[in-house]
Amino acid sequence: MTNPNAHLCISDLVEQAMRRYGDATALITSDEQFSYRQLDERARRLAGFLQAKGIQRGDRIALHLRNGAEYVVADLAILKLKAVKVPLNELMAPSELEYCLSHSEAAAMISHASLPVASGSMERLSVRISVADAQPARAGWMCWDEAASYTGEFNPGTAAKPDDMAMVAYTGGTTGHPKGVLHVQHRLALNLLAHVICGDVRADEVMLLTTPLPHSAGYHLQACLLQGGTIVLATRFDPEGFVALANRHHATWTFAVPTMLYRLFDYLAETGKLPGSLRTIVYGAAPMSKERLEEGLGTLGPVFLQLFGQTECPNYITTLSKADHLDPGLLPSCGRAVAMLDLRIRKSDGAIAGPGEVGEVEVSSPYSLVEYYKNPDATVSAIRDGWLRTGDLGYLDQNRYLFLVDRAKDMIISGGMNVYSVEVEAALRQHEAIRDVAVIGIADPDWGEAVVSFVVAGRQVSEEEVRAFAKTVLSKYKVPKRVIFVQTLPVTKYGKIDKKILRSELAH
């Protein structure tokens, strides 16, 4: 018997959803509102325009856009064309942008007019579409309004095939050039279903999205469309605006990174205002302070759902469920493997770890990457016998809950002993004056590497007090040799603490 699931394609799933929900409200932005039918028609027009300009099935189309209706329309148009999406974060430096456009061999690019572009890569693009924002559309580029109102024919061609390229997504690039993560139609279809199931995305959802669509929010947006929900899209996050939007539209679901939630908790504590309709807050991208998470649970109730994933296996490797959040002992965990995949821990000697033994997290998933695009060495290094090496270090407890202890590259070896920065950070956050902390290792002539902590304090506190506290909760060799106080911690464009910047600051 033929397995119909083997032929699932993300283009088909999303196209069917757009037709299925017709006049239901699909998208609300600050100045526009679209039904499913209107959004689908706008995407069809853009697909027709791109096709008329020579863009074909399999061509790479780069999206360099802020959150807005334009991104959603372009995303849907790419699916109609069976083209390949190259999502680029708006905060990319011109040199990063240049590399990604060249490496992906992008044939087209859609960009907001005020975002910087890398001039060297522009000439290689056969189609350049500029979206006017604070600045008028770029001279010499095609205008978005013209492209999105095209009235010519669109030929959808033959159906998508499961192994057709569908996306090249670039990693954060904290070391060297970003790597292009290649996903195909079938695997993204399964991943979309995982987002619906594991993210608890329901048919009556009102999904408030404030994080960049090229990253996790974009996957969840498609999940909401698949379910027939309504998306409320904001260009950025600020606590006051978030609560106002949530209450105005009766938002039920949102995604956030920990730094956003900390700001939200502070705002709620200060004002007493609450986003009363929220029933699901999905968070991820970085570890969250146990103490602050308990604060959020006390304020908002059991609405939190943690995810752990990565670009190579988008968003859902493990989840810590809403019910799990009610067990204080599980709050440091990122949960258990989701239903579609398997997970194991491999120790440094190559053996599979038992409960409590630390090693690298490996994943066997039907929706992990096919390969690193044009990088066979990186592919061979990352995929071993069908298992994806995540680069994260952790352990499983007796009930197979995963506890992450560090990124492999962030592990500190001090005096010959392994120090996991995540463990030190979690310990320091127990101090009532510490609001946030990041720990790195720096070269040291005596220790090999010395443990250094960057601390954001909520009140006046001394280095001696922090170190004295650390000695009460950590082994001696894990206690920071230096404590550096900062106003804020730098974050990457994906919301993770940028330890590369912290290391460079110490180097100068």
Side-chain angles (χ1 to χ4, degrees), residues 403-454:
F403 292 78
L404 295 177
V405 297
D406 222 338
R407 287 290 293 171
K409 64 182 177 60
D410 287 337
M411 187 180 72
I412 303 161
I413 302 178
S414 184
M417 303 292 286
N418 292 345
V419 179
Y420 301 116
S421 62
V422 172
E423 179 188 5
V424 180
E425 290 161 358
L428 293 180
R429 287 192 184 103
Q430 296 176 41
H431 191 291
E432 51 86 20
I434 294 177
R435 305 302 286 170
D436 207 355
V437 62
V439 170
I440 64 171
I442 61 168
D444 184 271
D446 294 325
W447 297 95
E449 287 185 292
V451 180
V452 177
S453 63
F454 289 80

Side-chain angles (χ1 to χ4, degrees), residues 142-163:
M142 300 166 190
C143 177
W144 169 266
D145 289 340
E146 176 188 353
S149 59
Y150 178 75
T151 58
E153 294 295 318
F154 167 62
N155 179 12
T158 58
K161 296 179 181 178
D163 291 332

Side-chain angles (χ1 to χ4, degrees), residues 289-326:
S289 161
K290 179 175 181 287
E291 292 69 30
R292 301 232 64 188
L293 187 51
E294 288 174 334
E295 176 187 345
L297 287 164
T299 303
L300 296 170
V303 299
F304 296 95
L305 192 159
Q306 182 184 173
L307 60 79
F308 161 57
Q310 55 183 201
T311 308
E312 290 84 349
C313 189
N315 294 321
Y316 289 98
I317 293 175
T318 67
T319 56
L320 190 71
S321 72
K322 295 174 187 177
D324 288 336
H325 278 79
L326 300 179

Side-chain angles (χ1 to χ4, degrees), residues 64-71 90 112-116 133-134 213 235:
H64 188 221
L65 295 164
R66 300 185 184 89
N67 283 8
E70 295 85 3
Y71 189 102
E90 65 182 90
H112 272 111
S114 61
L115 291 177
D133 47 14
L213 291 177
T235 55

